[in-house]
Amino acid sequence: MNYKITQSGCHRWLGRISSSGYGEVRMLGQYVGAHRLSYLLNKGALGPEEMVLHSCDNRKCINPDHLFKGDAKANAEDMVRKKRNKPGPAILPGEDHSTAKLAENQVKTIKRSKAKGTDLAAMYGVSVSTISKIRNGHLWKHL
Ligand SMILES: [Zn+2]
């Protein structure tokens, strides 16, 4: 598998990247997650409902040491835990919490993008309603 080792020890996938930000490999005529394939090859079998999660939060990473298996529930809990542990930006009164972590240039990209709201939400780690609020001008009006 084709990857580059980063300073943080991640194995950054150099192939195709999906619209939601994960590495992809073409296998038997369809695209599968490169991180899923790495897990399968290095750590063992995966059921169809089982998800491969990143301990490093880097979706392009395929380092098997950074991958662990979980279901959708574990994924949600993992995201909540990481968010809680992250020293968040200072929240100004009235500012929407879910957009506070987006940088201005990301918001501009979201406004310009023709990608599906669900894909953008997954890519930036925000809710689909946040994406639609940005797009219809309810949030980040000044950009
Ligand atoms: Zn990693």
Side-chain angles (χ1 to χ4, degrees), residues 16-67:
R16 186 188 149 102
I17 301 296
S18 76
S19 58
S20 48
Y22 292 96
E24 283 186 324
V25 194
R26 195 171 165 86
M27 272 183 75
L28 304 173
Q30 59 176 340
Y31 285 102
V32 299
H35 63 299
R36 285 182 71 84
L37 185 63
S38 172
Y39 189 99
L40 274 166
L41 295 173
N42 294 289
K43 298 181 102 168
L46 276 175
E49 319 81 62
E50 287 179 312
M51 302 176 76
V52 174
L53 313 179
H54 288 88
S55 60
C56 58
D57 249 354
N58 178 357
R59 291 180 178 187
K60 297 183 180 72
C61 177
I62 60 161
N63 183 347
D65 292 339
H66 294 181
L67 302 174

